[in-house]
Amino acid sequence: MLSDDYKKLSDEELIGLYKKSESLDIVGELYNRYTALTYGVCLKYLKDREESRDAVMQIFEKLIVSLKEHEIAQFKGWLYVTARNYCLMQIRSRKGKNFEEISPFLVESGGGGHLENGPEMETNLSKLERCIEQLGSEQKQCVQLFYLHQKCYKEITESTGFDLNKVKSHIQNGKRNLKICMEKNE
Amino acid sequence: MSNRKYDIERYLRGEMTAAEMHALEKDALHDPFLADALEGIDNTGPERFLFELEGLHKSVYQRTKARRGKIISITRWAYGIAAGLILLAVSSVYIIGLIQTNETKELAMAEEQELLNGNGGVQDTFEVLMPPVPAQNQATSGPQLRQSRSLRSAEEIRRDQQLSVTQVDQDVTIDRQPQRIATAELTEYPPVQQDSVTYERERILSVFAKPIRLVRGKVTSSETGSGLPGVNVIVKGSSTGTVTNAEGEYEISVSEANPMLTFSFIGLKSVEQSASDKKELNVLMDPDYSQLSEVVVTGMGVSDEAKSESDADFMIQFAEPKGGRQAFQEYLEDKMSYPEQALKNKTEGRVTVQFTVDTNGQLSDFKILKGIGYGCDEEVIRLIKEGPAWRPSKRNDKAIADKVKVRLKFSLPDK
């Protein structure tokens, strides 16, 4: 009954409700939205399935307490950092190395490799066209298919014959080269 | 902000359109959370991930239910304690009240006596008979009172006797009443106290015990009576399961939300029983003849067609004799005529024959995969040829030629 209504509320609205009511159903509904993501992240860092499952449940416990006590502006970002920190702590207690922690209240921007930066690249279209022309043929193909034709990875692998990881790296490298090219000509 | 709950799961199951997939992949470039998660999923494999994820959703759900139960039990406990204390207070007030009324009654009687006696010389010693602590022996209260009576002077005896009769009666009644009440109190009071405490304790324990508890038992064969090892024991509706040991014994955790246990094993009929309110659950399992039969009909997919996209293999129907396999088995056993030669030679054993059922249901290409000779192999072939017609195998409702194996066991009669 009420659980259907919960589905319509935003993350932040759910948190507001929970702060007032103590009902664990609300936290459960909220966490359900992100269980897959959380589990995926834990798998990335912890690698082990059983540990990752435990981590997901432990993070849930933290959630139950933290939502009551802290003000959380953007739940998704907060959850990501909390999950990552939890995983890193686990690794640290396993290995004893030094890992940096990020405060849950800072949102990470940009980042290495695959992630894009904020400002859009399509400001100058003709310059962009020129730069695309200058890309190697594989990178050009993948970038065009992904960005211009809005194809998903599966379609791209089917039409080009490249395997999935190659496609991803062509897109990544292509993007980087385009960025360099665009900045060069400024 | 989009509701991310279903997106990744749909993406992995292939339920998204290409455009949706592209949108998600593009988001992954901006969103470190999504990117990390996809990477983790890549490492473990999508099917396994989805399977484990289901279990996780359930665990989260159970966690939200469990905590609530605990909160309720704590308040119940508080109520229970409060109720017990109130009962204590009330009963002690009552008893104290009773003690006081008895004392006043005795004093009143004493005054009566004095009036009657007219400053009687003898003092009637009315002892305070009701001991302040109810634990005292109430049987002694009566006689004590009467003993004091006997100290009266002789003059008043007659008058007193008149009166004493009544008064003795009164005494008796008055005596008995407090006595009775006292006994009533004595018998009731401690038990009430104990009852409330033990009752509460049991209730608390039962409430705490409810969420998860251990059930154990033994699975035995209804045929042989011996324990069955390797039987799957699963808590229905959850991913909890175990397997019986060499003795057929098992131990598993159930919760009151999921008290149904399912016992299964190939060759035995599955059993479902509730372990609700039980600590021990022993189960008998019967053989399931429909799963194991002496006639094994298997199909080996033989196809010349090119493999079409994705789920082409899912709709396979294996070739079957008209009337069904069970009936075919019965037919074979019924009509089997033990070859003379084999009888003379005391030959027995299993014969396996393979043949092809073509798209029209015609049988051909008989091969003896495992034979015992002495006419038995030929007997099996004869039985198949003269038996019911066969329906061909079908893939996606299209008939295909297929090979079928039939096994028949020859057992010498009456050893």
Side-chain angles (χ1 to χ4, degrees):
Chain A
M1 18 148 225
L2 272 178
S3 65
D4 286 329
D5 299 331
Y6 289 155
K7 292 201 205 309
K8 296 182 196 150
L9 298 176
S10 77
D11 296 344
E12 285 69 39
E13 285 171 347
L14 279 184
I15 296 177
L17 261 186
Y18 173 61
K19 278 192 200 269
K20 283 185 251 167
S21 88
E22 289 283 347
S23 161
L24 285 180
D25 281 347
I26 301 178
V27 200
E29 167 62 33
L30 181 59
Y31 201 53
N32 264 331
R33 298 178 180 182
Y34 295 97
T35 320
L37 284 174
T38 312
Y39 185 42
V41 168
C42 294
L43 280 172
K44 171 181 167 170
Y45 290 102
L46 300 175
K47 312 264 194 267
D48 178 77
R49 280 200 317 278
E50 204 171 309
E51 275 193 53
S52 302
R53 280 205 305 271
D54 289 342
V56 169
M57 296 310 290
Q58 286 305 314
I59 293 169
F60 185 52
E61 298 289 334
K62 276 193 176 206
L63 201 66
I64 291 175
V65 172
S66 290
L67 287 183
K68 280 270 174 196
E69 295 176 1
H70 300 133
E71 282 301 322
I72 296 172
Q74 202 230 21
F75 178 69
K76 182 169 172 177
W78 178 91
L79 179 60
Y80 173 55
V81 179
T82 306
R84 230 168 69 143
N85 283 346
Y86 180 84
C87 294
L88 294 176
M89 287 247 290
Q90 290 297 107
I91 300 175
R92 176 201 291 175
S93 67
R94 269 194 244 158
K95 289 188 187 166
K97 278 191 196 160
N98 268 332
F99 280 87
E100 277 176 44
E101 273 191 25
I102 304 171
S103 157
F105 299 99
L106 289 177
V107 179
E108 200 183 75
S109 66
H114 213 10
L115 300 173
E116 277 182 350
N117 287 325
E120 291 302 320
M121 302 206 312
E122 279 106 341
T123 42
N124 193 330
L125 281 176
S126 56
K127 206 202 291 184
L128 183 64
E129 269 175 28
R130 248 186 300 130
C131 287
I132 291 177
E133 283 307 307
Q134 289 174 14
L135 288 175
S137 73
E138 290 148 353
Q139 292 178 4
K140 180 163 39 168
Q141 240 186 328
C142 294
V143 165
Q144 280 175 334
L145 283 172
F146 190 76
Y147 284 105
L148 301 181
H149 300 285
Q150 314 267 328
K151 298 288 180 199
C152 66
Y153 293 141
K154 191 166 164 226
E155 290 173 307
I156 297 176
T157 56
E158 282 166 8
S159 60
T160 61
F162 303 147
D163 91 88
L164 182 64
N165 291 327
K166 278 263 157 51
V167 169
K168 286 187 188 168
S169 78
H170 286 321
I171 293 175
Q172 183 182 331
N173 294 331
K175 252 173 42 203
R176 198 186 63 235
N177 291 334
L178 282 176
K179 180 169 173 236
I180 295 171
C181 172
M182 296 293 283
E183 283 170 356
K184 205 186 340 177
N185 294 335
E186 236 148 73
Chain B
M1 181 134 210
S2 65
N3 189 336
R4 276 255 168 248
K5 180 181 175 186
Y6 300 105
D7 283 16
I8 262 202
E9 298 174 55
R10 287 180 53 225
Y11 178 76
L12 293 173
R13 275 197 273 263
E15 288 168 8
M16 280 187 162
T17 65
E20 289 175 309
M21 287 172 70
H22 173 267
L24 188 142
E25 287 158 6
K26 204 157 170 212
D27 280 343
L29 299 178
H30 298 288
D31 183 354
F33 202 172
L34 184 54
D36 273 0
L38 286 172
E39 203 179 314
I41 293 169
D42 245 359
N43 293 338
T44 192
E47 293 94 18
R48 212 178 279 171
F49 175 80
L50 285 171
F51 176 71
E52 306 265 341
L53 184 64
E54 256 196 69
L56 273 174
H57 278 305
K58 275 194 198 128
S59 301
V60 169
Y61 178 73
Q62 277 173 4
R63 176 70 185 80
T64 62
K65 295 304 167 192
R67 183 64 168 264
R68 182 198 283 168
K70 251 193 218 166
I71 289 178
I72 285 186
S73 76
I74 287 173
T75 44
R76 266 210 208 138
W77 196 3
Y79 281 133
I81 288 182
L85 283 171
I86 289 173
L87 265 166
L88 254 171
V90 164
S91 21
S92 43
V93 164
Y94 188 40
I95 288 175
I96 293 171
L98 271 173
I99 293 170
Q100 287 174 351
T101 43
N102 276 330
E103 288 175 3
T104 51
K105 270 190 197 155
E106 283 151 18
L107 286 174
M109 275 159 34
E111 281 171 15
E112 271 183 44
Q113 283 300 319
E114 285 188 37
L115 286 170
L116 289 168
N117 297 341
N119 304 333
V122 180
Q123 293 172 15
D124 282 328
T125 56
F126 286 78
E127 296 150 24
V128 175
L129 296 158
M130 297 307 291
V133 177
Q136 290 298 318
N137 197 346
Q138 62 270 33
T140 57
S141 57
Q144 281 174 13
L145 211 150
R146 288 200 201 100
Q147 276 172 13
S148 58
R149 284 283 143 148
S150 60
L151 292 174
R152 239 173 276 156
S153 64
E155 300 170 7
E156 278 110 5
I157 286 179
R158 195 175 60 85
R159 207 193 297 166
D160 282 344
Q161 274 179 351
Q162 282 177 358
L163 296 163
S164 71
V165 174
T166 49
Q167 275 178 353
V168 166
D169 287 28
Q170 277 178 17
D171 285 340
V172 170
T173 48
I174 292 168
D175 250 335
R176 291 267 166 83
Q177 270 172 12
Q179 202 172 345
R180 204 175 49 234
I181 294 167
T183 48
E185 278 308 312
L186 283 167
T187 48
E188 278 174 14
Y189 173 62
V192 162
Q193 186 179 29
Q194 280 169 16
D195 265 344
S196 64
V197 169
T198 49
Y199 177 65
E200 285 314 313
R201 197 169 55 214
E202 280 169 15
R203 219 161 35 141
I204 294 157
L205 285 176
S206 68
V207 167
F208 276 121
K210 259 185 183 183
I212 304 272
R213 66 192 163 76
L214 225 51
V215 172
R216 48 167 65 95
K218 188 166 172 176
V219 180
T220 39
S221 160
S222 65
E223 268 189 317
T224 66
S226 55
L228 291 167
V231 173
N232 289 319
V233 185
I234 297 171
V235 178
K236 195 173 178 184
S238 89
S239 52
T240 315
T242 184
V243 152
T244 56
N245 66 8
E247 267 45 72
E249 295 157 355
Y250 72 93
E251 200 176 88
I252 196 171
S253 305
V254 299
S255 64
E256 282 318 307
N258 288 331
M260 283 299 274
L261 291 178
T262 308
F263 300 81
S264 62
F265 192 81
I266 295 236
L268 301 175
K269 287 204 184 102
S270 293
V271 170
E272 254 184 38
Q273 270 195 37
S274 170
S276 195
D277 294 329
K278 285 197 187 112
K279 286 190 198 139
E280 188 177 309
L281 180 58
N282 297 320
V283 157
L284 284 174
M285 292 185 78
D286 303 318
D288 184 354
Y289 290 112
S290 64
Q291 287 182 37
L292 286 178
S293 72
E294 289 302 326
V295 175
V296 176
V297 179
T298 60
M300 297 180 329
V302 174
S303 164
D304 299 332
E305 296 145 26
K307 207 167 178 206
S308 53
E309 290 278 316
S310 50
D311 47 17
D313 291 317
F314 279 31
M315 301 294 293
I316 287 197
Q317 287 163 285
F318 288 123
E320 268 206 7
K322 291 233 170 78
R325 291 187 204 165
Q326 186 75 6
F328 187 67
Q329 177 196 355
E330 285 166 14
Y331 154 76
L332 287 178
E333 286 168 8
D334 264 344
K335 296 284 189 248
M336 183 262 279
S337 137
Y338 219 111
E340 268 288 306
Q341 274 191 312
L343 279 174
K344 275 201 201 134
N345 205 50
K346 301 239 193 294
T347 302
E348 57 177 7
R350 231 187 232 128
V351 175
T352 306
V353 170
Q354 185 194 48
F355 55 99
T356 303
V357 180
D358 70 16
T359 50
N360 296 323
Q362 301 287 346
L363 312 180
S364 63
D365 205 16
F366 283 84
K367 267 194 203 129
I368 297 169
L369 294 183
K370 178 170 178 262
I372 55 177
Y374 296 96
C376 296
D377 317 335
E378 290 78 9
E379 173 64 8
V380 176
I381 294 180
R382 177 193 75 84
L383 284 165
I384 296 171
K385 280 188 178 165
E386 293 177 8
W390 282 72
R391 194 172 48 71
S393 289
K394 290 199 181 132
R395 180 187 281 147
N396 293 337
D397 274 344
K398 191 170 159 200
I400 53 172
D402 206 358
K403 291 198 178 110
V404 170
K405 272 191 241 173
V406 168
R407 264 188 261 165
L408 184 54
K409 191 172 176 192
F410 286 81
S411 293
L412 285 169
D414 291 320
K415 290 207 184 112

